[in-house]
Amino acid sequence: MSKKLFVETLGCAMNSRDSEHMIAELREKEGYEIIDNFEDADLILINTCSVRERPVHKLFSELGGFQKKKKAGAKIGVCGCTASHLGDEIIKRAPYVNFVLGARNVSKITEVLHKDKAVEIAINYDESEFAFKDFRSSPYKAYINISIGCDKSCTFCIVPQTRGEEISIPEYLIVNEAKKAVSTGAKEIFLLGQNVNNYGRRFSGTQEKINFTELLRRLSQIEGLERIRFTSPHPFHMDDEFIEEFAKNPKICKSMHMPLQSGSTKVLKDMKRGYSKEWFLNRVEKLRSMCPDVTISTDIIVAFPSESAEDFEETLAVMREVKFDQIFSFKYSPRPHTEAESFTNLVDEELGSERLSTLQLLHNELLDEKNATLLGNIYTVYFEDLNRDNFVAGRSDNNIVIKVKGSEELLGEIRDVKITSIGRTILTGEILA
Ligand code: 5AD
Ligand code: SF4
């Protein structure tokens, strides 16, 4: 009988891809089969995120739950960013954990599995880290890493510590992965990196140096590939050449993530983001003028140290001006060993929560207004998910989630859909042809 594996993944798309890689390794080399209930598992992996404090707390409470109800003899491994960041402290706090594997070390999963209390968190430059194995949680879309780590030093962010310096993955490996995914039926690739449009800044070997725009051009030549998405680009690196390629290349999906973080140039400076409010707005304008159908999503942090009422107002003003299609908003959470950890002028907790809800309410208002104008529009949808209630859901080229009545025959198909009813996060429509 095969051994059973349960994986819980928290955090970003990079973590999800790391989980796919570990699952592939464990299936291929150790004969594991993946299951959905941890009580029956022989191995429980928790792949964590440490970007804010809450997921770190969640890790320890989840671990306690796993330990209580797991099968006798089942192993527990902690992987990902919190593993990198806390290392052996995890085993000190939860001594029943069998191993700890950092975000930069996931390729070593089958090694640490057999070493009790192993802690593998070194940040090295082994190219085997790039050679991700074949396991894809969706047959329709392939997540592909194009770089690992981050070279920025945003003062609030723990990622450069957990994922290390930024290294671009050689272009030929990315193109090969994309071709392989397309040959097995995926019509969409989703390129991943902490800072994708900084691609090409540093390779570990002597590859031909190409930038992100050129990588997009080359990938779009793959026959059978219909859609290219990516996350996250950095507003600082959105030069004209990049925006122009984005706008004119029909294979690049017209949705852009532009992490604003704050609408106040003063706060952006304290955050060391490298751009001003004016630069951000200028990039949005250029993007919208070249590509009117583009949808824009963003990340915003409220209550960063020293954020005044006026600074916060500036963030709200940018929101009103840009009318983001989606926001991921957070209250600032001090992270260990980051520069901002030592900033003293902290914003009161309650005021921070108030700002967060003000921001989210404004976003919902703006979104409702915007969504109301979408009724009757026609979108080209790539269907990927079968819902329980006889609906099939997919995304438009510009990343709007749309569902239609239908069955599994629609999965993997691309169809034109007319919008017949509007919800805040999902629209309903009818297939035209
Ligand atoms: N506090 C709050 N939010 C944070 N993020 C990163 N670090 C922190 C922090 N210390 C947010 C940023 C980033 C997103 C992935 O998480 O908005 O873009
Ligand atoms: Fe963190 Fe800034 Fe790098 Fe994003 S660009 S991962 S926020 S340091």
Side-chain angles (χ1 to χ4, degrees):
M1 232 176 45
S2 66
K3 292 171 280 181
K4 300 200 166 31
L5 166 67
F6 173 84
V7 183
E8 172 160 322
T9 308
L10 306 171
C12 66
M14 309 278 289
N15 271 18
S16 304
R17 180 70 188 123
D18 288 347
S19 288
E20 288 184 338
H21 179 48
M22 290 190 286
I23 293 167
E25 285 276 323
L26 288 164
R27 284 196 337 174
E28 201 174 287
K29 297 190 182 146
E30 300 281 338
Y32 276 92
E33 166 204 339
I34 186 130
I35 57 166
D36 308 326
N37 54 325
F38 78 85
E39 288 92 343
D40 296 331
D42 301 289
L43 173 61
I44 298 173
L45 291 183
I46 174 158
N47 189 9
T48 62
C49 169
S50 58
V51 116
R52 282 167 296 279
E53 203 178 0
R54 202 181 299 159
V56 180
H57 285 309
K58 189 169 169 200
L59 166 69
F60 286 100
S61 67
E62 299 252 306
L63 280 175
F66 288 150
Q67 165 66 1
K68 247 186 239 146
K69 295 202 191 141
K70 76 179 171 82
K71 204 161 92 173
K75 287 184 180 174
I76 300 180
V78 177
C79 321
C81 288
T82 311
S84 307
H85 152 57
L86 294 179
D88 50 13
E89 205 186 309
I90 294 174
I91 297 187
K92 282 192 200 125
R93 278 175 69 179
Y96 47 83
V97 166
N98 297 85
F99 59 87
V100 172
L101 188 63
R104 203 69 179 240
N105 316 86
V106 289
S107 300
K108 299 215 165 68
I109 180 69
T110 55
E111 282 172 43
V112 291
L113 182 63
H114 300 292
K115 290 190 217 153
D116 200 37
K117 307 297 170 208
V119 176
E120 190 76 56
I121 55 170
I123 290 180
N124 41 39
Y125 301 97
D126 176 358
E127 290 228 347
S128 69
E129 288 177 36
F130 309 151
F132 270 28
K133 286 281 177 343
D134 278 334
F135 173 81
R136 304 230 171 250
S137 40
S138 161
Y140 311 112
K141 136 166 82 191
Y143 289 98
I144 300 178
N145 286 357
I146 67 161
S147 61
I148 51 176
C150 180
D151 261 8
K152 296 278 173 207
S153 35
C154 302
T155 54
F156 53 79
C157 189
I158 199 170
V159 167
Q161 289 175 60
T162 60
R163 290 191 175 263
E165 274 185 320
E166 188 173 318
I167 310 272
S168 300
I169 295 172
E171 177 232 352
Y172 74 91
L173 288 176
I174 300 169
V175 171
N176 284 349
E177 266 209 67
K179 283 187 177 158
K180 210 158 58 181
V182 170
S183 73
T184 54
K187 292 183 177 144
E188 179 174 314
I189 57 170
F190 203 131
L191 308 176
L192 299 176
Q194 298 299 333
N195 188 355
V196 285
N197 51 345
N198 199 28
Y199 180 82
R201 184 182 143 93
R202 186 191 301 113
F203 291 96
S204 61
T206 49
Q207 284 82 31
E208 177 199 9
K209 285 204 191 261
I210 62 164
N211 67 15
F212 186 55
T213 308
E214 181 57 25
L215 179 69
L216 289 174
R217 279 188 201 114
R218 294 190 187 180
L219 285 167
S220 65
Q221 275 151 27
I222 296 175
E223 224 167 290
L225 175 64
E226 309 254 0
R227 290 184 164 196
I228 304 175
R229 297 187 193 276
F230 51 82
T231 202
S232 276
H234 194 298
F236 175 79
H237 297 288
M238 290 190 178
D239 55 26
D240 286 353
E241 188 202 10
F242 167 66
I243 293 181
E244 281 155 21
E245 184 65 29
F246 177 90
K248 73 169 193 240
N249 187 326
K251 290 197 179 173
I252 302 179
C253 290
K254 302 301 179 256
S255 73
M256 187 78 93
H257 188 59
M258 292 182 70
L260 168 68
Q261 311 301 359
S262 168
S264 150
T265 297
K266 189 201 97 203
V267 175
L268 289 170
K269 229 183 219 147
D270 292 345
M271 289 176 164
K272 293 206 174 146
R273 288 289 291 172
Y275 55 86
S276 61
K277 171 176 85 176
E278 289 71 25
W279 167 261
F280 187 91
L281 290 174
N282 170 284
R283 296 294 85 189
V284 170
E285 199 186 314
K286 165 107 188 160
L287 185 62
R288 286 238 166 99
S289 70
M290 299 209 60
C291 192
D293 291 336
V294 69
T295 55
I296 303 180
S297 56
T298 197
D299 293 345
I300 295 178
I301 299 177
V302 300
F304 189 71
S306 302
E307 183 190 69
S308 65
E310 292 74 34
D311 293 323
F312 179 58
E313 269 308 317
E314 285 198 76
T315 300
L316 297 180
V318 173
M319 299 244 317
R320 284 190 201 97
E321 184 165 346
V322 176
K323 296 189 174 56
F324 294 107
D325 296 272
Q326 194 180 14
I327 64 166
F328 300 91
S329 52
F330 316 100
K331 184 161 82 165
Y332 170 66
S333 160
R335 308 303 300 122
H337 314 299
T338 56
E339 207 179 322
E341 193 197 11
S342 62
F343 292 0
T344 47
N345 204 355
L346 297 183
V347 175
D348 174 74
E349 278 288 323
E350 229 168 273
L351 182 58
S353 306
E354 234 172 73
R355 285 184 184 168
L356 189 61
S357 49
T358 305
L359 184 99
Q360 290 170 343
L361 275 174
L362 173 64
H363 172 66
N364 286 342
E365 265 172 42
L366 294 167
L367 197 61
D368 288 345
E369 268 172 38
K370 200 171 197 171
N371 279 352
T373 66
L374 304 182
L375 201 65
N377 280 6
I378 295 167
Y379 294 102
T380 305
V381 178
Y382 181 32
F383 289 102
E384 298 167 69
D385 290 310
L386 193 59
N387 294 1
R388 258 175 276 143
D389 46 358
N390 292 330
F391 277 95
V392 186
R395 284 172 192 270
S396 66
D397 169 273
N398 58 356
N399 210 26
I400 302 175
V401 180
I402 297 170
K403 64 175 188 177
V404 300
K405 275 258 181 258
S407 54
E408 57 260 348
E409 292 99 75
L410 274 177
L411 291 174
E413 296 293 316
I414 297 181
R415 298 289 175 81
D416 284 344
V417 174
K418 183 170 181 177
I419 302 305
T420 53
S421 101
I422 306 283
R424 189 170 279 155
T425 54
I426 185 161
L427 308 183
T428 309
E430 273 168 9
I431 292 187
L432 285 182

Coordinates of all heavy atoms in Angstrom, one line a residue, residues 46-121:
I46 N 3.7 21.1 6.3 CA 3.0 22.4 6.4 C 4.0 23.4 5.8 O 5.1 23.5 6.2 CB 2.5 22.7 7.8 CG1 2.0 24.2 7.9 CG2 3.4 22.4 8.9 CD1 1.0 24.4 9.0
N47 N 3.6 24.0 4.6 CA 4.5 24.9 3.9 C 4.0 26.3 4.2 O 2.9 26.7 3.8 CB 4.4 24.6 2.4 CG 5.4 25.3 1.6 OD1 6.3 26.0 2.1 ND2 5.2 25.3 0.3
T48 N 4.8 27.1 4.9 CA 4.3 28.2 5.6 C 4.7 29.6 4.9 O 5.6 29.6 4.0 CB 5.0 28.3 7.0 OG1 6.4 28.4 6.8 CG2 4.6 27.1 7.8
C49 N 4.2 30.6 5.5 CA 4.5 32.0 5.0 C 4.9 32.8 6.3 O 4.3 32.6 7.3 CB 3.2 32.5 4.4 SG 3.3 34.3 4.1
S50 N 5.8 33.8 6.1 CA 6.2 34.5 7.3 C 6.1 36.0 7.0 O 6.7 36.8 7.7 CB 7.5 34.1 7.8 OG 8.5 34.3 6.7
V51 N 5.4 36.4 6.0 CA 5.4 37.8 5.5 C 4.7 38.7 6.6 O 5.1 39.8 6.8 CB 4.8 37.9 4.1 CG1 3.5 38.7 4.1 CG2 5.8 38.5 3.2
R52 N 3.7 38.1 7.3 CA 3.1 38.8 8.4 C 3.1 37.9 9.6 O 3.4 36.7 9.5 CB 1.7 39.2 8.1 CG 1.6 40.5 7.2 CD 0.2 40.7 6.6 NE -0.1 39.6 5.7 CZ 0.2 39.5 4.5 NH1 1.0 40.4 3.9 NH2 -0.1 38.5 3.7
E53 N 2.8 38.5 10.8 CA 3.0 37.7 12.0 C 1.9 36.6 12.1 O 2.2 35.5 12.7 CB 3.0 38.6 13.2 CG 3.7 38.0 14.4 CD 3.7 39.0 15.6 OE1 3.1 40.1 15.4 OE2 4.2 38.6 16.6
R54 N 0.7 36.9 11.7 CA -0.4 36.0 11.9 C -0.2 34.6 11.4 O -0.4 33.6 12.1 CB -1.7 36.6 11.4 CG -2.9 35.9 12.1 CD -4.2 36.4 11.7 NE -4.4 37.8 11.9 CZ -5.4 38.5 11.2 NH1 -6.1 37.9 10.3 NH2 -5.6 39.8 11.4
P55 N 0.3 34.4 10.2 CA 0.5 33.0 9.7 C 1.6 32.3 10.6 O 1.5 31.1 10.7 CB 1.1 33.2 8.3 CG 0.9 34.6 7.9 CD 0.6 35.4 9.1
V56 N 2.5 33.0 11.2 CA 3.5 32.4 12.1 C 2.8 31.8 13.3 O 3.0 30.6 13.7 CB 4.6 33.3 12.4 CG1 5.6 32.6 13.3 CG2 5.3 33.9 11.2
H57 N 1.9 32.6 13.9 CA 1.1 32.1 15.0 C 0.3 30.9 14.6 O 0.2 29.9 15.3 CB 0.1 33.2 15.6 CG 0.8 34.2 16.4 ND1 1.7 33.9 17.4 CD2 0.8 35.6 16.3 CE1 2.2 35.0 17.9 NE2 1.7 36.1 17.2
K58 N -0.3 31.0 13.4 CA -1.2 30.0 12.9 C -0.4 28.7 12.8 O -0.9 27.6 13.1 CB -1.8 30.4 11.6 CG -2.8 29.5 11.1 CD -3.6 30.0 9.9 CE -4.4 28.9 9.3 NZ -4.8 29.1 8.0
L59 N 0.9 28.8 12.4 CA 1.7 27.6 12.3 C 1.7 26.8 13.5 O 1.4 25.6 13.5 CB 3.1 28.0 11.8 CG 4.1 26.8 12.0 CD1 3.9 25.7 11.0 CD2 5.6 27.4 11.8
F60 N 2.0 27.4 14.7 CA 2.1 26.7 15.9 C 0.8 26.1 16.4 O 0.7 25.0 16.9 CB 2.8 27.5 17.0 CG 4.3 27.6 16.7 CD1 4.8 28.8 16.1 CD2 5.2 26.6 16.9 CE1 6.2 28.8 15.8 CE2 6.5 26.6 16.6 CZ 7.0 27.8 16.0
S61 N -0.3 26.8 16.2 CA -1.6 26.3 16.6 C -1.9 25.1 15.7 O -2.4 24.0 16.2 CB -2.7 27.3 16.7 OG -3.0 27.8 15.4
E62 N -1.7 25.2 14.4 CA -2.0 24.1 13.5 C -1.1 22.9 13.8 O -1.6 21.7 13.8 CB -1.6 24.4 12.0 CG -2.4 25.6 11.5 CD -3.4 25.2 10.5 OE1 -3.0 24.5 9.5 OE2 -4.6 25.5 10.7
L63 N 0.2 23.1 14.2 CA 1.1 22.0 14.5 C 0.5 21.2 15.7 O 0.5 20.0 15.7 CB 2.5 22.5 14.8 CG 3.4 22.9 13.6 CD1 4.7 23.5 14.1 CD2 3.7 21.6 12.8
G64 N 0.0 22.0 16.7 CA -0.5 21.4 17.9 C -1.7 20.4 17.5 O -1.8 19.3 18.0
G65 N -2.6 20.9 16.6 CA -3.7 20.1 16.1 C -3.3 18.9 15.4 O -3.8 17.8 15.6
F66 N -2.3 19.0 14.5 CA -1.8 17.8 13.8 C -1.2 16.8 14.8 O -1.5 15.6 14.6 CB -0.6 18.3 12.8 CG -1.1 19.1 11.7 CD1 -0.3 20.0 11.1 CD2 -2.4 18.8 11.1 CE1 -0.7 20.7 9.9 CE2 -2.8 19.6 10.0 CZ -1.9 20.5 9.4
Q67 N -0.4 17.3 15.7 CA 0.2 16.3 16.7 C -0.8 15.5 17.5 O -0.7 14.3 17.6 CB 1.1 17.2 17.6 CG 1.6 16.4 18.9 CD 2.5 15.2 18.5 OE1 2.8 15.0 17.4 NE2 2.9 14.5 19.6
K68 N -1.9 16.2 17.8 CA -3.0 15.5 18.6 C -3.7 14.5 17.9 O -4.0 13.4 18.4 CB -4.0 16.6 19.1 CG -3.9 16.8 20.6 CD -5.0 17.7 21.1 CE -4.4 18.9 21.8 NZ -5.1 20.2 21.6
K69 N -4.0 14.7 16.6 CA -4.9 13.8 15.9 C -4.2 13.0 14.8 O -4.9 12.3 14.1 CB -6.0 14.7 15.2 CG -6.9 15.4 16.2 CD -8.2 15.7 15.6 CE -9.1 16.6 16.4 NZ -9.8 17.6 15.7
K70 N -2.9 13.1 14.7 CA -2.3 12.4 13.6 C -2.2 10.9 13.9 O -2.3 10.5 15.0 CB -0.9 13.0 13.3 CG 0.2 12.6 14.3 CD 1.5 13.2 13.9 CE 2.6 13.0 15.0 NZ 3.2 11.8 15.1
K71 N -2.0 10.1 12.8 CA -1.9 8.7 12.9 C -0.6 8.4 13.7 O 0.4 9.1 13.6 CB -1.7 8.2 11.5 CG -2.1 6.8 11.3 CD -2.4 6.5 9.8 CE -1.1 6.0 9.1 NZ -1.3 5.7 7.7
A72 N -0.6 7.3 14.5 CA 0.7 6.9 15.2 C 1.8 6.8 14.3 O 1.6 6.1 13.2 CB 0.4 5.7 16.0
G73 N 2.9 7.3 14.6 CA 4.1 7.2 13.7 C 4.2 8.1 12.5 O 5.2 8.2 11.8
A74 N 3.1 8.9 12.3 CA 3.2 9.8 11.2 C 4.2 10.9 11.5 O 4.4 11.4 12.6 CB 1.8 10.5 10.9
K75 N 4.9 11.3 10.4 CA 5.9 12.4 10.5 C 5.3 13.8 10.2 O 4.4 13.9 9.4 CB 7.1 12.2 9.6 CG 8.0 11.0 10.0 CD 9.1 10.9 9.1 CE 10.0 9.7 9.5 NZ 11.1 9.5 8.6
I76 N 5.9 14.8 10.8 CA 5.5 16.2 10.5 C 6.7 17.0 10.1 O 7.7 17.0 10.7 CB 4.9 16.9 11.7 CG1 3.6 16.1 12.3 CG2 4.5 18.3 11.4 CD1 3.0 16.7 13.5
G77 N 6.6 17.6 8.9 CA 7.7 18.5 8.4 C 7.2 19.9 8.3 O 6.1 20.1 7.8
V78 N 8.0 20.9 8.7 CA 7.6 22.3 8.5 C 8.6 22.9 7.4 O 9.8 22.8 7.5 CB 7.8 23.1 9.8 CG1 7.5 24.6 9.5 CG2 6.9 22.6 10.9
C79 N 7.9 23.4 6.3 CA 8.7 23.9 5.2 C 8.4 25.3 4.9 O 7.4 25.9 5.4 CB 8.4 23.1 3.9 SG 8.2 21.4 4.3
G80 N 9.2 26.0 4.0 CA 8.8 27.3 3.5 C 9.5 28.4 4.3 O 10.5 28.2 5.0
C81 N 8.9 29.6 4.2 CA 9.5 30.8 4.7 C 9.6 30.9 6.2 O 10.7 31.3 6.7 CB 8.7 32.0 4.2 SG 8.9 32.3 2.5
T82 N 8.7 30.4 6.9 CA 8.8 30.4 8.4 C 9.9 29.4 8.8 O 10.6 29.6 9.8 CB 7.5 30.1 9.1 OG1 6.5 30.9 8.5 CG2 7.5 30.4 10.6
A83 N 10.0 28.3 8.1 CA 11.0 27.3 8.3 C 12.4 28.0 8.2 O 13.3 27.9 9.0 CB 10.9 26.1 7.4
S84 N 12.6 28.8 7.1 CA 13.8 29.5 6.8 C 14.1 30.5 8.0 O 15.2 30.6 8.4 CB 13.8 30.3 5.6 OG 13.4 29.6 4.5
H85 N 13.1 31.1 8.4 CA 13.2 32.2 9.3 C 13.4 31.8 10.8 O 14.3 32.3 11.5 CB 12.0 33.1 9.1 CG 11.5 34.0 10.2 ND1 12.4 34.9 10.8 CD2 10.3 34.0 10.8 CE1 11.7 35.5 11.8 NE2 10.5 35.0 11.8
L86 N 12.7 30.7 11.2 CA 12.8 30.3 12.6 C 13.8 29.1 12.8 O 14.3 28.9 13.9 CB 11.4 29.9 13.2 CG 10.4 31.1 13.3 CD1 9.1 30.6 13.8 CD2 10.9 32.2 14.2
G87 N 14.0 28.3 11.7 CA 15.0 27.2 11.8 C 14.7 26.3 13.0 O 13.6 25.9 13.2
D88 N 15.8 26.0 13.8 CA 15.6 25.0 14.8 C 14.7 25.5 16.0 O 14.3 24.7 16.8 CB 16.9 24.4 15.3 CG 17.9 25.5 15.7 OD1 17.5 26.7 15.8 OD2 19.1 25.2 15.9
E89 N 14.4 26.8 16.0 CA 13.5 27.2 17.1 C 12.1 26.5 17.0 O 11.4 26.3 17.9 CB 13.3 28.7 16.9 CG 12.8 29.4 18.2 CD 12.5 30.9 17.9 OE1 13.3 31.6 17.2 OE2 11.4 31.3 18.3
I90 N 11.8 26.1 15.7 CA 10.5 25.4 15.5 C 10.6 24.1 16.3 O 9.6 23.7 17.0 CB 10.3 25.1 14.0 CG1 10.1 26.5 13.3 CG2 9.1 24.2 13.8 CD1 9.9 26.4 11.8
I91 N 11.7 23.4 16.2 CA 11.8 22.1 16.9 C 11.8 22.3 18.4 O 11.3 21.5 19.2 CB 13.0 21.2 16.4 CG1 12.7 20.9 14.9 CG2 13.2 19.9 17.2 CD1 13.6 20.0 14.2
K92 N 12.4 23.4 18.8 CA 12.4 23.7 20.3 C 11.0 24.0 20.8 O 10.6 23.5 21.8 CB 13.3 24.9 20.6 CG 14.8 24.6 20.5 CD 15.6 25.8 21.1 CE 17.0 25.6 20.7 NZ 17.5 26.8 20.0
R93 N 10.2 24.7 20.0 CA 8.9 25.0 20.4 C 7.9 23.9 20.2 O 6.9 23.8 20.9 CB 8.4 26.3 19.7 CG 8.9 27.5 20.4 CD 8.4 28.8 19.6 NE 7.0 29.0 19.7 CZ 6.4 30.1 19.1 NH1 7.2 31.0 18.4 NH2 5.2 30.3 19.1
A94 N 8.2 23.0 19.2 CA 7.3 21.9 18.9 C 8.1 20.7 18.7 O 8.4 20.3 17.5 CB 6.4 22.2 17.7
P95 N 8.6 20.0 19.8 CA 9.6 19.0 19.7 C 9.2 17.8 18.9 O 10.1 17.0 18.5 CB 9.9 18.6 21.1 CG 9.2 19.5 22.0 CD 8.2 20.3 21.2
Y96 N 7.9 17.6 18.6 CA 7.4 16.5 17.8 C 7.6 16.7 16.3 O 7.4 15.8 15.5 CB 6.0 16.2 18.1 CG 5.1 17.5 18.1 CD1 4.7 18.0 16.9 CD2 4.9 18.2 19.3 CE1 3.9 19.2 16.9 CE2 4.2 19.4 19.3 CZ 3.7 19.9 18.1 OH 3.0 21.0 18.0
V97 N 8.0 17.9 15.9 CA 8.3 18.1 14.5 C 9.5 17.3 14.1 O 10.5 17.4 14.7 CB 8.5 19.7 14.2 CG1 9.1 19.9 12.8 CG2 7.1 20.4 14.4
N98 N 9.4 16.6 12.9 CA 10.5 15.8 12.5 C 11.6 16.4 11.7 O 12.7 16.1 11.8 CB 10.0 14.6 11.7 CG 9.1 13.7 12.6 OD1 7.9 14.0 12.7 ND2 9.6 12.7 13.3
F99 N 11.2 17.4 10.9 CA 12.2 18.2 10.2 C 11.8 19.5 9.8 O 10.5 19.8 9.7 CB 12.7 17.4 8.9 CG 11.6 17.1 8.0 CD1 11.3 18.0 7.0 CD2 11.0 15.9 8.0 CE1 10.3 17.7 6.0 CE2 9.9 15.6 7.1 CZ 9.6 16.5 6.1
V100 N 12.7 20.4 9.5 CA 12.5 21.8 9.1 C 13.2 22.0 7.8 O 14.4 21.8 7.7 CB 13.0 22.7 10.2 CG1 12.9 24.2 9.8 CG2 12.2 22.5 11.5
L101 N 12.5 22.5 6.8 CA 13.1 22.7 5.4 C 12.8 24.1 4.9 O 11.6 24.4 4.7 CB 12.5 21.6 4.5 CG 13.1 21.4 3.1 CD1 14.5 21.0 3.2 CD2 12.2 20.4 2.4
G102 N 13.8 24.9 4.7 CA 13.6 26.3 4.2 C 13.1 26.4 2.8 O 13.1 25.5 2.0
A103 N 12.6 27.6 2.5 CA 12.0 27.9 1.2 C 13.0 27.7 0.1 O 12.6 27.4 -1.0 CB 11.5 29.4 1.2
R104 N 14.2 27.9 0.4 CA 15.3 27.8 -0.7 C 15.8 26.3 -0.8 O 16.7 26.1 -1.5 CB 16.4 28.8 -0.3 CG 17.3 29.3 -1.3 CD 16.8 30.2 -2.3 NE 17.9 30.6 -3.2 CZ 18.3 31.8 -3.4 NH1 17.8 32.8 -2.8 NH2 19.4 32.0 -4.2
N105 N 15.2 25.4 0.0 CA 15.8 24.1 0.1 C 14.8 23.0 -0.2 O 15.0 21.8 0.1 CB 16.3 23.9 1.6 CG 17.1 25.0 2.1 OD1 16.5 26.0 2.6 ND2 18.4 25.1 1.9
V106 N 13.6 23.4 -0.8 CA 12.6 22.4 -0.9 C 13.0 21.2 -1.8 O 12.4 20.1 -1.6 CB 11.3 23.0 -1.5 CG1 10.6 23.9 -0.5 CG2 11.5 23.8 -2.8
S107 N 14.0 21.3 -2.6 CA 14.5 20.2 -3.4 C 15.1 19.1 -2.6 O 15.2 17.9 -3.0 CB 15.6 20.6 -4.4 OG 15.1 21.6 -5.3
K108 N 15.4 19.4 -1.3 CA 16.0 18.4 -0.4 C 15.0 17.6 0.3 O 15.3 16.9 1.3 CB 17.0 19.1 0.5 CG 18.1 19.8 -0.1 CD 19.4 19.7 0.7 CE 20.6 20.1 -0.1 NZ 20.6 21.5 -0.5
I109 N 13.7 17.6 0.0 CA 12.7 17.0 0.8 C 12.9 15.5 1.0 O 12.7 15.1 2.1 CB 11.2 17.3 0.1 CG1 10.1 16.7 1.0 CG2 11.1 16.8 -1.3 CD1 9.9 17.3 2.3
T110 N 13.3 14.8 0.0 CA 13.5 13.4 0.2 C 14.7 13.0 1.0 O 14.8 12.0 1.6 CB 13.5 12.6 -1.1 OG1 14.6 13.1 -1.9 CG2 12.2 12.7 -1.9
E111 N 15.7 14.0 1.1 CA 16.8 13.8 2.0 C 16.4 14.0 3.5 O 16.7 13.1 4.3 CB 17.9 14.8 1.7 CG 18.7 14.4 0.5 CD 19.7 15.6 0.2 OE1 20.3 16.1 1.1 OE2 19.8 15.9 -1.0
V112 N 15.8 15.1 3.8 CA 15.5 15.4 5.2 C 14.5 14.5 5.8 O 14.4 14.2 7.0 CB 15.0 16.9 5.4 CG1 16.1 17.9 5.2 CG2 13.8 17.2 4.6
L113 N 13.7 13.9 4.9 CA 12.6 13.0 5.3 C 13.2 11.8 6.2 O 12.6 11.3 7.1 CB 12.0 12.4 4.1 CG 10.8 11.4 4.2 CD1 9.6 12.1 4.9 CD2 10.4 10.9 2.9
H114 N 14.4 11.4 5.9 CA 15.0 10.3 6.6 C 16.0 10.7 7.6 O 16.7 9.9 8.2 CB 15.7 9.4 5.5 CG 14.7 8.9 4.5 ND1 13.7 8.0 4.9 CD2 14.5 9.1 3.2 CE1 13.0 7.7 3.8 NE2 13.5 8.4 2.8
K115 N 16.1 12.0 7.9 CA 17.0 12.4 9.0 C 16.2 13.1 10.1 O 15.7 14.2 9.9 CB 18.0 13.5 8.5 CG 19.0 13.0 7.5 CD 20.0 14.1 7.2 CE 20.4 14.2 5.8 NZ 20.9 15.5 5.4
D116 N 16.0 12.4 11.2 CA 15.1 13.0 12.2 C 15.7 14.2 12.8 O 16.9 14.3 13.0 CB 14.8 12.0 13.3 CG 13.5 12.4 14.1 OD1 12.6 12.9 13.4 OD2 13.5 12.2 15.3
K117 N 14.9 15.2 13.0 CA 15.3 16.5 13.5 C 16.2 17.3 12.6 O 17.0 18.2 13.1 CB 15.9 16.4 14.9 CG 15.0 15.7 15.9 CD 13.7 16.3 16.2 CE 12.8 15.4 17.0 NZ 11.4 15.6 16.8
A118 N 16.2 17.0 11.3 CA 17.1 17.8 10.4 C 16.5 19.2 10.2 O 15.3 19.4 10.2 CB 17.1 17.1 9.0
V119 N 17.5 20.1 10.1 CA 17.1 21.5 9.9 C 17.9 22.0 8.7 O 19.1 22.1 8.8 CB 17.4 22.4 11.1 CG1 17.0 23.9 10.8 CG2 16.5 22.0 12.3
E120 N 17.2 22.1 7.6 CA 18.0 22.5 6.3 C 17.5 23.8 5.8 O 16.4 23.9 5.3 CB 17.7 21.4 5.3 CG 18.5 21.4 4.0 CD 19.9 20.8 4.2 OE1 20.1 19.7 4.7 OE2 20.8 21.6 3.9
I121 N 18.2 24.9 6.1 CA 17.7 26.2 5.8 C 18.8 27.1 5.1 O 18.5 28.3 4.9 CB 17.2 26.9 7.0 CG1 18.2 27.0 8.1 CG2 15.9 26.3 7.5 CD1 17.8 27.9 9.3

